[in-house]
Amino acid sequence: MQRLTFKCFNCERTYQLNREIQGQPKLEVACPYCDTKAVADLRPFWRQNNKIEVHKDLQGQSLSLDMFDLPDVLPTVGF
């Protein structure tokens, strides 16, 4: 779970939401100010082949997470 800042494509205000990032997602969000639904595409910010190792289990297999190089404010588009 991560706190992300979005910029509404409709009213151009910024707002923050907690979202879980997995894989190469497109996040569906709704602006709390104008109630417009939008999408924030995180794929352009994904660092290919760049993973961070979180831990190893008892069998020695590691759990890794994809890395994103996110800007301070994520743009949104209508859908």
Side-chain angles (χ1 to χ4, degrees), residues 11-58:
C11 70
E12 298 189 3
R13 294 179 74 174
T14 60
Y15 56 94
Q16 294 184 338
L17 297 172
N18 291 329
R19 289 289 186 259
E20 188 171 338
I21 300 174
Q22 293 180 348
Q24 300 177 44
K26 286 186 175 183
L27 302 176
E28 292 184 14
V29 295
C31 176
Y33 300 108
C34 68
D35 202 34
T36 301
K37 294 184 181 185
V39 174
D41 188 359
L42 303 185
R43 289 179 298 170
F45 309 110
W46 181 58
R47 289 196 242 162
Q48 192 170 16
N49 297 323
N50 193 0
K51 295 180 180 267
I52 184 170
E53 187 175 301
V54 178
H55 69 82
K56 289 191 177 186
D57 63 17
L58 296 174

